[in-house]
Amino acid sequence: MKCPASHRIAAVVVYTMTACAVLRPCHGFRIAASPARCHLHALTHQRHAPTPSAIAGAGHARIYPLGSLSRLYSSSSDDDTDGKARVLFLGTPDVAASSLRAIHDASQSPGCPYELVGVVTQPPKRRKRRGKEIHSPVGLAAEELGLPILCPEKAKDKDFLDQLEGEVRPDLCITAAYGQYLPKRFLATPKLGTLNIHPSLLPRWRGSSPVQRSLEAGDNPVGVSVLFTVSKMDAGPIVAQESLEIDENEQATTLLPTLFDIGTKCLVDALPKVLDGEITMDTADAQDEALVAEAGMISAAEGQLWPSKEDSTTIHNRVRGFSMWPGTFLYFRIGDDEAKDPVKVKVIESRVLDETAEPTDVIEIGPKKGDGLWLVCGDGSVLEMLKVQPATRNVMDAKSFVNGLQGQTVRWLSGVDS
């Protein structure tokens, strides 16, 4: 005798709850594999799934077991006749979310040779100690676009790689600031390879902080590269590259999204040639290893400025490069009482002045209306600090800072460790 449908559904739910360590009220669930402490979020949407708000309003959640993803990734089924390449996107922050939307928009155009079949991003995180977990910007964008989402704790997790090979089956992967190392097994899965958007003119600035390091070094032009991913970081052959002349005061905060927008356009333009086999790992341009510069991870200590040892251009370039994180700072003594603790002050915005001055540790506002705080370095070069942020205070312009001094003298201090 056949079991009623309602009983079969109940059996699936019971089995799922037994197999899963965590069952969540969302569009999917998380498997916690205790031996490997692996968390795999299969937060998925059917091709025309209702919006999250509509589901919430209906008073229930849709739960898709891991095996059901074969139905969601349906474009490779026997009845599919459009012949489109299956593309999987990997990314995490806001700049990658913008890339995802642009690639998705391009995929909707008539005659486009590919379709996005899913998104991989970092697992949701709690923004507050007792708050609910929130998707990464890429995860939120994927929800809006109705794309299946995978959130492995690590890209090397066996469950994730099994699912990638057995159910997702991408022809091509695209990465944009995903934030995890991709193992060889992952790279071997898509038959056309994996493309990466990297915001530097490779082979210069391979690594995790290319925009920050290029600005810190005073590079102009800067640029972005689209390359095939290989096991060695950012060392694959280059598919496309574009340079950009920038203003001498451009900061990483504004430059990074600009470069990702340019890089995404380059990638979308190159995709047809990659998909039809005209551009491959073998035909793309190999990087010159003799020109490699490493963009190593930035430490918080690198944000401290040393006017006694560094000139104004060096300091200004670090202010520009580290504007997102960790920021730049120095210590001020306010007033003449040397027993007072120094004040840590972040430098938010600066520029280099043409004039020079006698070296001094006294900081004064410039003589003209709208001038910033003048910091004279040990070599006599002058940095103008336009916006600063004293500890526990909001960001302020130079005039507001001086108004709060009530006539007290300000000196920058050397030899104070953070």
Side-chain angles (χ1 to χ4, degrees):
M1 182 179 69
K2 278 192 174 182
C3 195
S6 60
H7 291 186
R8 293 199 300 272
I9 293 171
V12 169
V13 171
V14 170
Y15 171 78
T16 303
M17 294 182 70
T18 302
C20 302
V22 182
L23 188 62
R24 295 143 57 90
C26 58
H27 309 301
F29 66 86
R30 176 170 66 186
I31 293 179
S34 54
R37 299 181 64 124
C38 157
H39 298 284
L40 179 62
H41 301 253
L43 307 179
T44 59
H45 297 274
Q46 291 180 339
R47 190 170 296 274
H48 299 293
T51 63
S53 58
I55 293 176
H60 66 279
R62 293 197 173 205
I63 301 171
Y64 299 106
L66 198 59
S68 71
L69 285 179
S70 58
R71 296 194 299 274
L72 299 178
Y73 295 112
S74 60
S75 64
S76 65
S77 61
D78 294 337
D79 60 354
D80 180 54
T81 58
D82 60 14
K84 291 188 174 184
R86 299 166 56 76
V87 174
L88 180 68
F89 182 88
L90 297 86
T92 298
D94 286 314
V95 290
S98 296
S99 296
L100 172 61
R101 290 188 176 93
I103 294 167
H104 178 269
D105 288 348
S107 75
Q108 303 303 299
S109 60
C112 180
Y114 70 88
E115 64 174 339
L116 278 170
V117 296
V119 166
V120 180
T121 189
Q122 300 276 27
K125 294 182 179 179
R126 286 186 175 88
R127 302 295 182 239
K128 298 179 181 178
R129 181 175 295 180
R130 295 178 180 270
K132 66 178 182 178
E133 290 185 341
I134 299 174
H135 259 311
S136 71
V138 163
L140 295 174
E143 283 187 330
E144 293 170 10
L145 298 172
L147 295 170
I149 308 170
L150 297 174
C151 302
E153 196 74 28
K154 297 290 183 183
K156 65 181 180 181
D157 290 345
K158 183 179 181 300
D159 287 344
F160 166 65
L161 294 173
D162 288 346
Q163 187 174 8
L164 190 73
E165 295 170 348
E167 299 182 13
V168 184
R169 299 186 300 280
D171 297 310
L172 177 75
C173 292
I174 295 171
T175 64
Y178 172 47
Q180 290 197 29
Y181 175 78
L182 300 177
K184 290 181 179 179
R185 184 180 167 191
F186 178 98
L187 296 177
T189 300
K191 63 183 181 183
L192 297 175
T194 297
L195 294 179
N196 178 40
I197 302 171
H198 183 82
S200 84
L201 294 174
L202 290 169
R204 188 165 173 79
W205 305 125
R206 289 180 183 174
S208 59
S209 309
V211 172
Q212 295 92 324
R213 294 303 186 191
S214 61
L215 290 178
E216 181 189 20
D219 289 358
N220 199 6
V222 294
V224 61
S225 306
V226 177
L227 67 153
F228 281 104
T229 300
V230 295
S231 292
K232 187 176 180 179
M233 182 176 286
D234 302 324
I238 295 172
V239 172
Q241 193 171 74
E242 187 166 328
S243 61
L244 176 69
E245 294 279 349
I246 59 172
D247 183 81
E248 62 184 6
N249 298 317
E250 180 90 49
Q251 294 196 343
T253 310
T254 54
L255 180 59
L256 183 66
T258 297
L259 291 178
F260 266 94
D261 287 345
I262 295 171
T264 303
K265 184 180 184 305
C266 290
L267 182 142
V268 169
D269 290 345
L271 273 179
K273 292 183 178 181
V274 173
L275 297 176
D276 69 14
E278 182 178 345
I279 298 177
T280 67
M281 191 87 73
D282 294 327
T283 62
D285 295 330
Q287 296 187 38
D288 185 346
E289 293 295 319
L291 301 178
V292 171
E294 299 291 343
M297 291 184 66
I298 299 168
S299 69
E302 289 184 73
Q304 185 164 1
L305 305 174
W306 300 95
S308 58
K309 306 174 186 177
E310 300 169 331
D311 62 33
S312 58
T313 298
T314 299
I315 292 176
H316 175 60
N317 286 340
R318 197 173 311 136
V319 171
R320 299 163 60 212
F322 295 178
S323 63
M324 294 186 296
W325 191 89
T328 51
F329 64 92
L330 61 161
Y331 289 93
F332 288 179
R333 170 165 290 127
I334 299 177
D336 297 322
D337 185 354
E338 296 187 2
K340 281 187 176 180
D341 289 335
V343 177
K344 184 177 181 179
V345 177
K346 290 184 178 181
V347 182
I348 306 300
E349 187 178 328
S350 64
R351 65 186 174 202
V352 175
L353 299 183
D354 292 333
E355 54 253 64
T356 58
E358 280 296 316
T360 177
D361 60 357
V362 176
I363 296 174
E364 296 180 316
I365 196 166
K368 299 193 296 292
K369 183 178 181 180
D371 279 356
L373 300 169
W374 286 21
L375 172 70
V376 183
C377 299
D379 68 343
S381 61
V382 181
L383 180 80
E384 185 176 26
M385 298 179 289
L386 302 172
K387 292 182 181 178
V388 295
Q389 184 179 20
T392 73
R393 304 286 297 277
N394 294 326
V395 174
M396 61 186 69
D397 60 20
K399 183 178 180 181
S400 299
F401 178 80
V402 170
N403 287 344
L405 296 176
Q406 298 179 337
Q408 298 180 91
T409 301
V410 179
R411 301 176 185 274
W412 59 262
L413 300 178
S414 60
V416 180
D417 292 326
S418 57

